[in-house]
Amino acid sequence: RYKDAVDILKKILNKNPDNERAYFYAGIIRYYEKNYISARINFDAAIKLKPNWSECYNYLGKVLFELNDIDGAITNYKKALAIDEKNSTAHYELGKLYLSIKDFHNAVLQFTKAIYLDSGNEDLRREFSQTFFLLGIENYNKEDYQTALSNFVKSNQIYPGNQTELFIAKCRVK
């Protein structure tokens, strides 16, 4: 599927092995092919040539997450943010990563920053809402109904019409 693009990028790199963009685009193609090892090699090469490339660190973070290198992914998202603190994608991806490991505090922190920078992002709002929903479930299971209710209400406010209405009603009954 991506063979033609890869062939073109190889020709570019044969003529100019210092073309960081060619490595970057090859990394993106490999990422979408789910060839994460090759993607990592290409992103590492691009970063070696252009070390202050925030977007490249975003993709490297995504690759490392797929390779189950959570610490490496976090490190790369933080590098992206050190270069550009207004990088909403890095905040968003870091929030998703923290959510996946149930670090709700840091997920909320990162999603809040991402929403501040990119309030129109529908996927971001849904993920942010999901964070409060899962936190509410955790509180509910611990029989902390007031905190659960608060988190379910926040979830519903961020992304109305999601699955929280039933849990809001359950908390109010308790």
Side-chain angles (χ1 to χ4, degrees):
R1 177 177 166 179
Y2 297 107
K3 186 183 177 329
D4 292 342
V6 170
D7 289 345
I8 291 168
L9 291 169
K10 283 180 182 177
K11 287 178 185 175
I12 291 169
L13 288 169
N14 282 336
K15 288 183 183 178
N16 180 7
D18 291 336
N19 188 322
E20 73 276 354
R21 290 216 168 270
Y23 285 113
F24 177 72
Y25 292 126
I28 291 173
I29 290 168
R30 296 305 186 201
Y31 171 78
Y32 285 108
E33 289 178 329
K34 299 184 187 308
N35 184 344
Y36 301 122
I37 300 296
S38 181
R40 180 181 187 169
I41 291 167
N42 281 287
F43 290 129
D44 283 338
I47 287 169
K48 184 176 179 184
L49 294 167
K50 188 176 178 182
N52 290 324
W53 195 352
S54 181
E55 187 177 8
C56 201
Y57 286 106
N58 287 345
Y59 273 99
L60 186 53
K62 291 171 86 157
V63 165
L64 293 173
F65 178 78
E66 293 296 336
L67 292 170
N68 292 315
D69 181 357
I70 301 301
D71 291 336
I74 290 170
T75 297
N76 279 280
Y77 290 129
K78 287 183 176 180
K79 285 180 182 178
L81 291 168
I83 295 165
D84 178 9
E85 66 186 28
K86 293 182 178 179
N87 183 332
S88 65
T89 301
H91 286 294
Y92 173 50
E93 293 295 336
L94 197 48
K96 287 188 341 186
L97 187 152
Y98 283 130
L99 180 59
S100 75
I101 60 172
K102 298 187 190 277
D103 181 346
F104 298 117
H105 173 77
N106 280 315
V108 167
L109 180 69
Q110 293 303 320
F111 284 141
T112 300
K113 290 177 181 179
I115 281 183
Y116 175 77
L117 296 167
D118 187 9
S119 62
N121 186 324
E122 189 79 7
D123 291 334
L124 170 55
R125 288 181 47 244
R126 189 172 31 258
E127 295 276 356
F128 193 30
S129 172
Q130 182 73 2
T131 304
F132 283 107
F133 177 75
L134 293 173
L135 196 50
I137 293 287
E138 196 168 271
N139 299 133
Y140 187 86
N141 289 336
K142 292 178 182 174
E143 298 183 3
D144 181 358
Y145 301 116
Q146 274 307 115
T147 307
L149 176 61
S150 173
N151 285 311
F152 290 138
V153 167
K154 285 178 190 172
S155 176
N156 199 49
Q157 287 171 337
I158 294 166
Y159 200 78
N162 61 20
Q163 68 270 36
T164 57
E165 289 90 356
L166 173 64
F167 287 95
I168 290 171
K170 281 184 173 183
C171 287
R172 289 189 173 139
V173 168
K174 299 281 183 181

